Amino acid sequence: MYTWEDRARAQSEKAQSLTLRPENTAGVVRAYIEHQMDKTGNLQKLYYIGPQFRRERPQKGRYRQFFQIGAEVIGPPTSGSESPLRDAEVLEMLATFLDALGITGWQLTLNSVGSSADRPRYIAALKDALASVKANMCVDCQRRAETNPLRVLDCKVPEDQPLIDALPKIADFLDEDSKAHFAAVLAGLDACGVQHIINPRLVRGLDYYTRTTFEFTVETGLGTQNALLGGGRYDGLSERLGGPKAPGIGFAIGEDRLILILQAQAAEQAGEKLDVYIAPLSIQQNAAALALARDLRRAGLTVEVGDGSFRLKKSFDLADKAARKVVLLGEDEAQSGILTVKDFSTGEQTKVAQAELAAHLRLKNPNQ
């Protein structure tokens, strides 16, 4: 982190240690305490967007100043903030968000790091296990074994992996309440149809995490930094900051990484054809074609609109280059509401009612 000593201006003043914020969860919890949000008795759903700072070696997707989009769900226990339902809800929302952005190939991994009582037992066991093998590990792991043993589990050095795989697993140190909580989170994800993988090595580096921790990773666009977002539960953080009991769970999305992924996947899809090309058969149908395109785009389809000044054959040629299907819109179609749809891959022409067009195109499109 960027930490330095702000030297005193007067001899009577003490120097102050200052650090640029590396994350925002602690700041949100401090705001929750300062503004006495617990007094409402309600669950608080808060968000932030802003810069953070970490003094690590820069590389693609990892910058010294970076931006995060984050949210926190926090409140008194009576508001349901401890419930595993909150964990599953946050994860389902994130899966829906990534799908809505059109991000493909994302993967959710999660784990439980247990309660505030479970974690110290595991760290003690981890330190004992590392004592005999750390000398054979990379320089970073040798340092982490002393300062923050959990970070050893994040190591990506290939030669260290067999040693790390043999270390104790935190799942073996969870109490019954933590096991039940995690099982309920997984059941909620299964009920929502959110695909996930349990990763026993996922513990995350910040020591305020309890129980559920998670990451969403994407292989496209980030190089070696494939984590797009991450987060977890922090049930004791408010008390550690001098506030009331306020269990919570949150996440942060790397805004820089999100943009890199969207750019990379857009480049991959640049050569793909659109869902449909609307071909008005006369200039008089141009306005109706534009209105139809608006409806189809709102239904999630990609659309190109032709110009009725073109002849029919030229419209077909343009449509074949741009899209998988063409919709013909002439005076008869506009009056009857029955449109002609041609699939270029099969040559099949179908009559479809305008009210059913979006559903028909989506049904025929394997990517929807």
Side-chain angles (χ1 to χ4, degrees):
M1 294 186 292
Y2 281 106
T3 299
W4 71 95
E5 190 176 84
D6 184 23
R7 299 188 183 278
R9 294 183 179 181
Q11 291 184 352
S12 60
E13 296 178 347
K14 291 184 178 180
Q16 183 180 16
S17 177
L18 300 176
T19 300
L20 295 179
R21 66 183 184 188
E23 55 86 36
N24 238 23
T25 297
V28 171
V29 174
R30 281 193 292 269
Y32 174 88
I33 296 168
E34 179 181 350
H35 295 282
Q36 300 183 343
M37 294 183 183
D38 61 299
K39 301 298 185 185
T40 68
N42 298 327
L43 193 68
Q44 302 292 327
K45 297 183 177 181
L46 311 171
Y47 77 93
Y48 59 84
I49 301 174
Q52 324 291 332
F53 304 86
R54 287 181 187 160
R55 195 175 180 272
E56 297 177 299
R57 180 173 58 86
Q59 56 182 272
K60 185 175 183 180
R62 187 175 73 183
Y63 309 118
R64 288 184 163 178
Q65 178 177 345
F66 56 99
F67 292 80
Q68 286 186 339
I69 305 167
E72 313 292 344
V73 182
I74 184 172
T78 54
S79 68
S81 58
E82 286 182 293
S83 171
L85 174 65
R86 298 281 77 84
D87 305 42
E89 180 187 31
V90 166
L91 293 169
E92 187 280 328
M93 183 270 289
L94 287 168
T96 300
F97 175 65
L98 296 182
D99 287 342
L101 289 178
I103 293 176
T104 59
W106 58 261
Q107 186 174 86
L108 166 62
T109 59
L110 70 163
N111 191 26
S112 176
V113 296
S115 67
S116 58
D118 299 333
R119 192 161 173 150
R121 292 198 304 269
Y122 175 61
I123 292 176
L126 194 58
K127 280 186 175 180
D128 289 343
L130 284 169
S132 60
V133 299
K134 64 184 179 183
N136 300 321
M137 304 181 80
C138 68
V139 174
D140 283 341
C141 282
Q142 292 179 31
R143 172 179 52 81
R144 291 167 178 167
E146 299 296 330
T147 59
N148 190 351
L150 292 175
R151 290 297 306 278
V152 171
L153 303 179
D154 293 332
C155 178
K156 302 298 188 296
V157 176
E159 293 77 11
D160 288 352
Q161 302 312 303
L163 296 173
I164 295 173
D165 288 338
L167 294 172
K169 304 292 189 294
I170 196 166
D172 298 327
F173 293 81
L174 301 183
D175 61 25
E176 293 305 315
D177 286 344
S178 293
K179 290 179 181 178
H181 188 279
F182 192 50
V185 174
L186 299 179
L189 294 177
D190 290 338
C192 295
V194 177
Q195 298 294 315
H196 56 274
I197 296 173
I198 300 174
N199 178 3
R201 284 174 51 172
L202 180 62
V203 293
R204 303 185 63 79
L206 297 169
D207 62 2
Y208 55 63
Y209 281 113
T210 58
R211 294 187 169 172
T212 307
T213 59
F214 59 88
E215 282 185 349
F216 281 78
T217 58
V218 181
E219 297 302 325
T220 302
L222 294 180
T224 58
Q225 300 296 317
N226 66 344
L228 168 60
L229 67 92
R233 180 164 282 280
Y234 45 88
D235 288 349
L237 181 56
S238 178
E239 295 97 306
R240 291 176 65 177
L241 296 176
K245 185 174 182 180
I249 182 170
F251 66 86
I253 301 173
E255 190 173 351
D256 313 271
R257 296 186 181 188
L258 179 61
I259 292 171
L260 287 173
I261 289 170
L262 290 172
Q263 289 174 335
Q265 296 199 349
E268 287 182 352
Q269 298 167 6
E272 295 184 5
K273 287 190 173 183
L274 302 173
D275 292 321
V276 63
Y277 183 101
I278 300 174
L281 300 184
S282 68
I283 293 176
Q284 288 72 25
Q285 304 308 320
N286 282 348
L290 189 61
L292 179 59
R294 180 173 181 264
D295 291 340
L296 294 179
R297 286 169 179 150
R298 286 189 166 187
L301 297 164
T302 54
V303 184
E304 180 66 77
V305 182
D307 184 336
S309 63
F310 293 144
R311 294 172 306 193
L312 182 60
K313 184 179 183 305
K314 187 170 183 180
S315 292
F316 265 69
D317 290 342
L318 291 170
D320 193 13
K321 293 176 182 178
R324 289 184 284 272
K325 301 177 182 67
V326 63
V327 173
L328 302 181
L329 183 60
E331 184 177 351
D332 291 343
E333 287 80 7
Q335 290 180 356
S336 67
I338 304 299
L339 309 179
T340 300
V341 180
K342 180 175 180 178
D343 187 324
F344 290 114
S345 63
T346 64
E348 177 186 2
Q349 286 196 177
T350 309
K351 297 291 186 178
V352 181
Q354 183 169 336
E356 300 171 0
L357 182 60
H360 173 80
L361 294 172
R362 188 179 296 108
L363 180 65
K364 295 290 185 178
N365 180 5
N367 294 322
Q368 289 291 330

